[in-house]
Amino acid sequence: MEAQIENAVEIAWDPGSDAALKGQAFQFLEQLRLDPRAWPVCLELFSRSPRASEVVRHVALEVINHAIQGQLLDSQSMTLLKDALLAYVRRVYGPERDSNDAETSGIRNKLIQTITILFVSMYAQAWEGYFNDFRELARSEQGMPMGGNPPGLVFYLHILGSVHDEIADMMVPRSNDQQKKSNELKDIVRERDAREIAISWQEVLSQWRALDRESTDLCLKVISRWVSWIDISLVVNEQLLSPLFELVGQPETGRADGGDTMPKAAVETLTEIVAKKMKPPDKIEMVMFINLGSIVAQLIASPSLQKSQPVKDYDTEWAEVVAKLVNMAASEIIRALDSDSLKDDKQAQAEELLQSFVPWVLRFFSDEYDEVCSTVLPCVGDLLAFFRKELRIKGELPEKHSAMLPVVLVAIIGKMKYDDTALWVTEDEQTDEAEFQELRKRLQVLQQAVAAVDEKLYVTVIKDAVSSIFDAYQGSGGQTNWRSLDLALYEMYLFGELAVKNGGLYSKGLPTSPAAETLTQLMGQLVQSGVAAFPHPAVQLQYMEICVRYCAFFDLHPNFTGPTLDHFVRLVHHDHPRVRTRSWYLFFKLVKHLRGQLGNVAETVIHAVGDLLEVKVETPKRDIDDDIVTTSDSEKSLDSTFNSQLYLFEAIGCIASTASVPVEMQALVARAVADPLLVSIENQLPPSNAAETAELQIHHCMMALGTLAKGYSDGRPDPNSNTTSAAKEIGDEFERIAEAILSTLETLRSSAVIRTASRFSFSRMLELVGARILPQLPRLIEGLLSESSSRDEMTTFLRLLEQIIFRFKLEMASILDVLLTPLLQRIFSHMSEPTSGTDDAIELAELRREYLNLILVIFQNDTASVFLSEANRGNLESLIASIEVLAKDVSDMPTARMAFGALNEMINRWGGSRPEPATSPVQVTFPVALDGGGGVDATSVSAVIPGFNRFMIERFTAVSWALPTNPAFNPRDAQTRQVVLEIATVQMTIFDKTGQDYIAYLRGIYFPGMQLGNDAADEYLQALQNNDLKTFRQFLLRFIQRDSG
């Protein structure tokens, strides 16, 4: 069988094996794992001489592991396996070992895993000498000190590490039973072997000078892991701490064998000792006992941590290790102070320790390297949280604590600054920039914590820091380092979160808080200082961001508006693409807010940015040296540039449409901006231009025209005016533009990008052109509804149509009457198309919801008569059937809810307000009554249709119960609950319209058909007849939930 197993493993792990044969090999090995007779064969295969290949031996041990964990071995077999493995370990790792028997690290680790699994199964009762058996491997002979046999010592230490990982590692997820078992094993280890294990550590560390680095480092790591769950006295004692402190005090370099890692491992061990969970008084006593402050002072004074060192000699890894110790110690001291268990003497000791450690925390917090700074961020946060709690309880901070706040805040501000070696982000430095910005976010949280403790101090320190930088800039003639100005502006930007927390900078013309008043002063200093002229992109961007964020400042200080606009006009022409494109958006945001102040300068501002309004499609640059050209990034960048440029067109519209600009001038500006775009469109139309970028150029021009219209719409109506429509001159200009776009759409209706741009533009011109756009709508709709339109495009078109119906209501009825039937046919066609993949499914769901929303918009805007007109009544049955289908779809609750909303609108509009005479036909196809002789005015906003009451009782009742009775319906789901409430509304509305006819139908026909018991039916009907919708909705929800179990 050995040969069979070995052959199967070799086949399974051979990349060149036949696939079918490999499948058989894996199947055989899987069966082998479940065979209780396999483990002895695999044990022999693992330990035999000559050895099998490493992969075969690895699989053999894996089969043994599975047999142990699967409880395929009885107690006798477990003992045989234990003895065999122990004998093998002694042969390979014991003092009498043969050097030719050395194992690879992979096999050693797998063997240790097997022995650890045996530990879990046997240590409690069947293998009490587990640790002693492996500890003896580390001695050259019995009774001799640890370390006489280095391979055995390393194996023993690995065993200790593996046992910890198995039963005590908090990061390993365990079931409740596994955790209980692990806790029991830890208790036994603590009682039976922990002391002897700790003595072995003492022996190893006492010989660290004579031992190899691997053994010492491994011993330190084991202590670091075990200290969290054994008695602290086993570690914190003279015998162990003395060699540990010797290792901590070693120079970081200097040993020929690379022993510089040992002091780092020793400090990490000390960190874990400090982190040991203990009662606060005991923790303070331990910190004092080990004289931790003296140790930290010695470490910080080490040559490689001196900031005066050249950068190349500064050991950042060593700094991180020491910083972790300082962070842990400071956090533990703060945690002890935050507790109520410290007596007076321990309280005084903890305060003394805190005073000692805070400067060391701030030393690493202010470290030039962000990795080191990040290490101590947690304890700084703990310190500030402690201060905040202390302030809340005592009402004020003790002087010794309040004195720390300014130092901490200054350190935070200093760390916000780009370091002296940092450059503003370029393509090669994006990762570093992202990491620094992430650090700034964490520092911002700490600043907010300081403000929460002492807002007055925060305001004062920030004001002084920012003002001093602005003063230095002015005093130096503009020679300040850009990093300092960036810091000042960044702090100003963050400061606003405090300044505007009361709802804004100003209330009734006065600052809302001292912070708002300070920010007002800083804003005035910012504009007057001339920082906007500083020639660095980071500073210029921050300046614009601040002006836009605090634009309310200019409302009360209009004398600063002119200089600020001058700065913005200059910056929108910036050479740096990142500054230029971002400034276009910020310029728009600023002028949108300030358009009421622009007055006579509006024309000047428009003229100043006019040269940026040329729309030109650029093709991505191709690198001729590349065999494969990827242009997606370039295209994305170009699209982003154009999208940013659109903000300029919107800004022009906002400025031009202000009340201070004469209407004639507004129209003139619109014409001046639009004419070059219209000429460009005309030049790109076929057959004049067949270039592949022609359609994209037309698209861009259309989008620019639509965005210009949006700017004009946003600028009106004036708050002080009662007018609700644009002036005739403005409407004439945009009517002309709309006609040009329509002509282009008719020529290029097969192009999706042209249809998209046309839809975008018209939706933004509706308010400007008003009812004069109605004659153009049939041509627009015909152009947008191309045969090649996608499902997503149809959804977007429906949104535009809903906007038009909402805007024009009854004026739209005649157009909608002609459009409705072909539109419904197209919608039904798109909804019936098969879906493939998640994207298609999402698009279909969106189309369904938009279709239902269109129906709701038609009903709610006085145009429901189009459903009953002679042109459309033939589709009414299909329309109702489609809504019923969507209302029954248990997989899409939002759509189902909208479908019931549409049914409710129908019932309200077309249902009779009184029960119909008993002579009414039982079965009525109600559209027959619309043949012109039934007395129904199809043009009426709300028509009571003969026969509809009976129709909705029979059809809509079935629909309203189809969903709740679906086995997949979950009435406890949040979205489903909303559907139930909508169903209740439909049922109550049917009852309001039909009265006892509905009750009779439910009691006599429908409920018996759905096998609803009499008691439940009576309960439901009684609730329905209470005529209280709110109560009935809650009742139906409980009724369905109870029925569903």
Side-chain angles (χ1 to χ4, degrees), residues 138-166:
R139 307 182 193 279
S140 59
E141 57 183 272
Q142 192 171 4
M144 296 298 291
M146 297 283 293
N149 178 27
L153 174 60
V154 169
F155 192 86
Y156 164 66
L157 293 172
H158 275 297
I159 285 285
L160 294 180
S162 182
V163 167
H164 165 83
D165 294 344
E166 182 66 30

Side-chain angles (χ1 to χ4, degrees), residues 274-285:
V274 174
K276 167 78 173 176
K277 289 184 178 180
M278 301 168 64
K279 293 179 180 179
D282 295 338
K283 178 59 66 72
I284 296 301
E285 184 176 352

Side-chain angles (χ1 to χ4, degrees), residues 140 150 169 174 264 390 438 490 526 651 679 753 764 779-780 782 792-793 821 824 883 936:
S140 59
D169 190 340
R174 299 179 180 87
K264 292 175 183 175
E390 192 174 36
E438 183 60 31
Y490 186 72
L526 170 65
V679 170
V753 295
R764 284 148 182 82
R779 295 165 58 199
L780 172 68
E782 182 181 359
D792 182 59
E793 198 173 347
T821 292
L824 290 177
I883 298 174
V936 176

Side-chain angles (χ1 to χ4, degrees), residues 619-634:
T619 55
K621 296 180 180 178
R622 299 168 65 94
D623 189 343
I624 59 174
D625 296 329
D626 290 342
D627 294 331
I628 300 176
V629 181
T630 303
T631 61
S632 58
D633 290 342
S634 299

